[in-house]
């Protein structure tokens, strides 16, 4: 029998959410992976699993604002409390301030029961009860900071440094629109495997078998936005008819524009969504050289290719800087989906905004420059390369590509003539969450001179 069952009135969803949030903060676990493992192990009912998911992502997404609302009722900062007490206060504050369907008394009572379950002494439960009941009686939120960046950071729950740089770049109104979009729950989108079905046929099958409604995505011709569901449990998914992928990510393989029979390198391939999309666009003819330094994650590429019925994906473990010599000058197309800050995908990975610093952007830039230089050596004369990140930050995009072009005169920018999202003056295609309703992505297409 689990501790939750012994606890009687404690909701399993809240119990699991508390454990996940502590692991995310203390062990720097990724929330999506911790959540997946916890839900699989606990085997929660659908309703409790949905509650757990909502609490985990919502608490991480709105962490700063929750801390700001809790602070007036604490005698010492949240940071000095035991991690589980801190997280219990945050997750309950999230329910009180952001979820309409949970009665306040029920949220507070559950928090007190959880505190009793976690501690053998009454102190933590009494403390949690006092703080949360004070919060429920609060007449109004505390005043916002005077600084524009801090004020926006509190209201949209972002760190000051990120709010400040986006206000400086976009202006206050657009920066706040961007932060608001990154606070939204992301849609569930899937890519139809057009080697096995059309998008319309997939939509009909999902409606008939899973009773879920879908709508075509606006920018990616293979994409469907799904109202709800767990794709991993669908028969269509098991049959290789679709894979989960954000719409912005789907556009990256289309920017590469591979042809059937091409030799294509995906230099940072795991977990394989773009590599399998490239193979799909090539009609499963040619070769995809899928490279990645992490063997465990690279196995996900092979697993996904097998499920989708793709036979042209070759997996090679190692960094492109090491593997490049084996394919130098042999590739028609090269994709660099560079490791980055992930600041464009905060709606899916909200914990990232509490971990990143501006120093990370400079640190990552050095690695990104090395990867781009190595990847470019794979391309044939006349070959094409797409450099992409799920980040909107200049340090990780134009500041990486510009020095590369300055040092490699045989390469030039090759913007697409027709594309769902036009390239900007620098030749960069930018997918903006508050404009396009997608994850945030930046991508630039380059071509090597045919005479090189």
């Amino acid at each position: 029998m689990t501790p939750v069952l012994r606890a009687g009135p404690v909701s399993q969803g809240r119990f699991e959410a508390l454990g996940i949030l502590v692991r995310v903060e203390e062990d720097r676990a990724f929330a999506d992976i911790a959540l997946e493992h916890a839900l699989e192990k606990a085997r929660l009912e659908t309703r409790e699993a949905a509650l757990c998911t909502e609490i985990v992502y919502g608490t991480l997404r709105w962490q700063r604002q929750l801390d700001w609302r809790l602070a007036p009722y604490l005698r010492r900062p949240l940071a000095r409390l035991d991690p589980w007490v801190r997280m219990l206060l945050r997750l309950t504050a999230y329910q009180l301030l952001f979820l309409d369907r949970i009665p306040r008394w029920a949220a507070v009572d559950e928090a007190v029961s959880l505190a009793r379950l976690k501690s053998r002494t009454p102190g933590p439960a009494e403390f949690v009860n006092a703080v949360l009941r004070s919060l429920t009686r609060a007449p109004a939120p505390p005043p916002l900071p005077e600084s524009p960046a801090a004020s926006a950071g509190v209201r949209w729950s972002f760190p000051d440094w990120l709010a400040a740089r986006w206000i400086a770049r976009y202006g206050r109104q657009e920066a706040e629109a961007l932060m608001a979009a990154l606070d939204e729950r992301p849609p569930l989108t899937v890519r139809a495997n057009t080697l096995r079905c059309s998008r319309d046929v997939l939509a009909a099958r999902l409606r008939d078998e899973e009773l879920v409604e879908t709508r075509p995505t606006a920018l990616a011709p293979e994409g469907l936005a799904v109202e709800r569901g767990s794709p991993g449990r669908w028969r269509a998914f098991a049959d290789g008819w679709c894979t989960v992928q954000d719409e912005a990510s789907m556009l990256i393989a289309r920017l590469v524009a591979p042809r059937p029979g091409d030799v294509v390198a995906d230099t940072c391939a795991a977990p394989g969504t773009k590599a399998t999309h490239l193979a799909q666009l090539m009609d499963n003819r040619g070769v995809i050289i899928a490279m990645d330094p992490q063997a465990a994650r690279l196995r996900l590429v092979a697993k996904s290719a097998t499920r989708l019925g793709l036979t042209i994906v070759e997996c090679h473990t190692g960094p492109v800087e090491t593997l490049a010599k084996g394919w130098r000058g042999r590739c028609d197309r090269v994709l660099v989906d560079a490791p980055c800050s992930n600041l464009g995908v905060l709606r899916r990975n909200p914990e990232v905004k509490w971990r990143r610093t501006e120093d990370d952007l400079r640190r990552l830039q050095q690695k990104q420059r090395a990867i781009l230089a190595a990847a470019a050596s794979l391309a044939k004369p006349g070959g094409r390369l797409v450099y992409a990140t799920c980040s909107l930050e200049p340090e990780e995009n134009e500041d990486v590509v510009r020095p590369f072009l300055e040092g490699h005169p045989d390469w030039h920018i090759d913007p697409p003539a027709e594309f769902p999202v036009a390239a900007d003056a620098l030749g960069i295609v930018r997918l903006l969450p508050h404009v396009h309703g997608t994850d945030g992505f930046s991508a630039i297409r380059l071509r090597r001179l045919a005479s090189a």
Side-chain angles (χ1 to χ4, degrees), residues 81-145:
L81 301 179
D82 285 347
W84 71 266
V85 175
R86 178 165 58 248
M87 285 303 171
L88 182 55
L89 289 173
R90 283 174 176 164
L91 72 84
T92 309
Y94 173 69
Q95 296 169 71
L96 294 172
L97 300 173
F98 288 90
L99 299 183
D100 296 332
R101 295 185 179 180
I102 298 177
R104 289 188 160 204
W105 62 266
V108 175
D109 283 357
E110 287 266 345
V112 173
S113 295
L114 269 171
R116 288 175 177 151
L117 185 69
K118 296 286 292 184
S119 176
R120 295 181 178 179
T121 62
E126 293 172 356
F127 171 74
V128 164
N129 184 53
V131 172
L132 293 174
R133 293 200 184 280
S134 296
L135 180 63
T136 61
R137 292 193 293 266
L144 289 166

Side-chain angles (χ1 to χ4, degrees), residues 129-163:
N129 184 53
V131 172
L132 293 174
R133 293 200 184 280
S134 296
L135 180 63
T136 61
R137 292 193 293 266
L144 289 166
E146 293 184 2
S147 153
S151 175
V154 168
R155 280 189 293 120
W156 299 108
S157 197
F158 276 74
D160 284 357
W161 72 269
L162 198 48

Side-chain angles (χ1 to χ4, degrees), residues 153-285:
V154 168
R155 280 189 293 120
W156 299 108
S157 197
F158 276 74
D160 284 357
W161 72 269
L162 198 48
R165 69 164 29 222
W166 284 350
I167 289 173
R169 189 187 318 155
Y170 300 112
R172 185 167 181 170
Q173 185 173 0
E174 187 172 357
E176 294 201 22
L178 172 59
M179 287 186 271
L182 289 170
D183 282 334
E184 293 177 357
R185 300 177 184 89
L188 172 60
T189 53
V190 297
R191 186 189 83 227
N193 180 3
T194 50
L195 298 179
R196 293 190 166 168
C197 63
S198 69
R199 176 165 70 175
D200 290 344
V201 171
L202 173 64
R205 181 174 179 181
L206 294 179
R207 184 174 58 247
D208 293 344
E209 292 183 350
E210 310 298 338
L211 306 179
V212 296
E213 294 298 323
T214 63
R215 59 175 172 77
T217 51
L219 304 173
E222 311 94 333
L224 284 174
V226 185
E227 63 169 14
R228 60 180 170 76
S230 302
R233 299 178 180 176
W234 296 345
R235 281 189 286 166
F237 183 85
D239 291 344
W241 280 36
C242 61
T243 199
V244 177
Q245 187 175 19
D246 183 74
E247 189 178 13
S249 175
M250 294 181 210
L251 294 181
I252 302 303
R254 288 203 160 269
L255 192 60
V256 176
R259 303 159 298 187
D262 273 350
V263 176
V264 179
D266 184 350
T267 60
C268 306
T273 48
K274 297 181 184 67
T276 55
H277 194 193
L278 290 167
Q280 185 177 316
L281 295 176
M282 294 162 64
D283 199 26
N284 200 30
R285 288 183 286 153

Side-chain angles (χ1 to χ4, degrees), residues 3-4 10-39 41-42 44 51-53 55-57 59-60 83-92 95 114-115 117-118 355:
V4 170
V10 177
S11 137
Q12 287 193 336
R14 291 183 176 89
F15 179 86
E16 294 297 335
L18 177 59
I20 293 166
L21 288 168
V22 171
R23 287 197 292 278
V24 168
E25 183 177 80
E26 292 294 289
D27 303 337
R28 296 180 68 83
F30 288 103
D32 55 349
I33 296 173
L35 185 64
E36 181 181 350
H37 288 172
L39 294 184
K41 184 177 179 182
L44 301 184
L51 176 63
C52 177
T53 302
I55 289 175
V56 168
Y57 281 114
T59 301
L60 290 170
W84 71 266
V85 175
R86 178 165 58 248
M87 285 303 171
L88 182 55
L89 289 173
R90 283 174 176 164
L91 72 84
T92 309
Q95 296 169 71
L114 269 171
L117 185 69
K118 296 286 292 184
R355 296 177 180 173

